């Protein structure tokens, strides 16, 4: 995370939105993450949309904001910032769908694992990614990342492919 932190800081980008964009792009590079269930049929998604928590400044009230992962990292950060500022409701249900990835951040604690609240829907194929605060380790910033998936679609191999794709995207910054 040291490289990403320096990159976002130098360009005035949100680290949070940047990591959401990078994780979304990394998932899109792994074919197994492109499948979901719709009307009792397995379908292949063209892309995934990022749905993330946004804590309103100076408040303890958060919102669920959904933004398509389109364009460059800079384009996404600008669109995410604008949507966060504009959205008044807790959640915009018009933006909900099976093509989402749920993101959350708990910057107050070092996250090593996280379980999300969810219905026991065996067809739920929405990946859930969360992370906590930075930890300084040997002069490097590290960040624990938790990912929940539907094991009917995703196996450890695919999570490893996601991790390699994410590392590649970091190196391309």
């Amino acid at each position: 995370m040291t490289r990403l932190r320096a990159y976002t800081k130098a360009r005035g980008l949100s680290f949070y939105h940047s990591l959401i964009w990078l994780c979304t792009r990394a998932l899109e590079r792994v074919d197994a993450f492109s499948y979901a269930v719709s009307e009792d049929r397995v379908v292949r998604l063209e892309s995934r949309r990022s749905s993330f928590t946004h804590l309103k400044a100076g408040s303890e009230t958060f919102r669920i904001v959904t933004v398509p992962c389109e364009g460059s990292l800079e384009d996404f950060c600008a669109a995410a910032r604008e949507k966060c500022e504009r959205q008044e409701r807790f959640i915009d249900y018009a933006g909900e769908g099976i093509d989402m990835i749920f993101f959350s951040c708990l910057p107050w604690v070092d996250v090593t694992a996280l379980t999300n609240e969810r219905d026991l829907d065996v067809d739920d194929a929405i990946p859930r990614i969360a992370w906590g605060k930075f930890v300084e380790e040997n002069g490097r910033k590290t960040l624990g990342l938790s990912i929940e998936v539907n094991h009917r679609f995703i196996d450890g191999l695919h999570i490893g492919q996601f991790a390699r794709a994410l590392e590649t995207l970091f190196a391309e910054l």
Side-chain angles (χ1 to χ4, degrees):
M1 294 302 150
T2 306
R3 181 183 198 130
L4 178 59
R5 184 79 173 131
Y7 183 91
T8 57
K9 204 171 196 75
R11 288 162 181 77
L13 299 173
S14 162
F15 175 86
Y16 180 52
H17 295 151
S18 296
L19 189 51
I20 290 169
W21 185 86
L22 287 162
C23 285
T24 302
R25 289 294 189 220
L27 281 181
E28 288 177 339
R29 290 184 177 192
V30 180
D31 188 58
F33 283 99
S34 64
Y35 294 94
V37 175
S38 175
E39 299 177 8
D40 296 327
R41 300 187 71 177
V42 175
V43 296
R44 189 171 198 293
L45 305 171
E46 293 298 316
S47 62
R48 292 269 188 183
R49 289 178 301 140
S50 307
S51 184
F52 54 91
T53 56
H54 168 71
L55 183 62
K56 190 175 176 182
S59 172
E60 292 184 9
T61 304
F62 71 95
R63 296 184 175 112
I64 305 292
V65 178
T66 301
V67 178
C69 193
E70 299 171 340
S72 68
L73 172 61
E74 291 77 7
D75 293 338
F76 178 80
C77 286
R81 182 181 59 247
E82 191 272 327
K83 179 89 184 267
C84 287
E85 290 170 1
R86 184 173 37 93
Q87 184 171 313
E88 295 295 326
R89 301 180 72 182
F90 166 68
I91 191 167
D92 178 5
Y93 288 105
E96 295 285 295
I98 63 171
D99 62 339
M100 296 186 301
I101 305 167
F102 293 151
F103 290 95
S104 189
C105 176
L106 292 103
W108 311 277
V109 296
D110 180 18
V111 171
T112 56
L114 183 100
T115 301
N116 289 282
E117 176 185 1
R118 61 158 97 207
D119 295 329
L120 295 177
D121 178 359
V122 297
D123 292 335
D124 182 350
I126 296 174
R128 289 153 170 84
I129 299 176
W131 54 85
K133 71 177 180 176
F134 293 108
V135 175
E136 190 81 28
E137 194 174 282
N138 299 323
R140 296 178 57 208
K141 292 186 186 317
T142 62
L143 189 69
L145 188 133
S146 171
I147 181 167
E148 288 183 57
V149 297
N150 185 326
H151 202 16
R152 292 169 60 204
F153 295 97
I154 308 297
D155 204 352
L157 170 74
H158 307 113
I159 293 172
Q161 291 170 344
F162 160 72
R164 282 192 300 282
L166 189 57
E167 289 171 357
T168 299
L169 288 166
F170 284 155
E172 292 172 357
L173 291 176

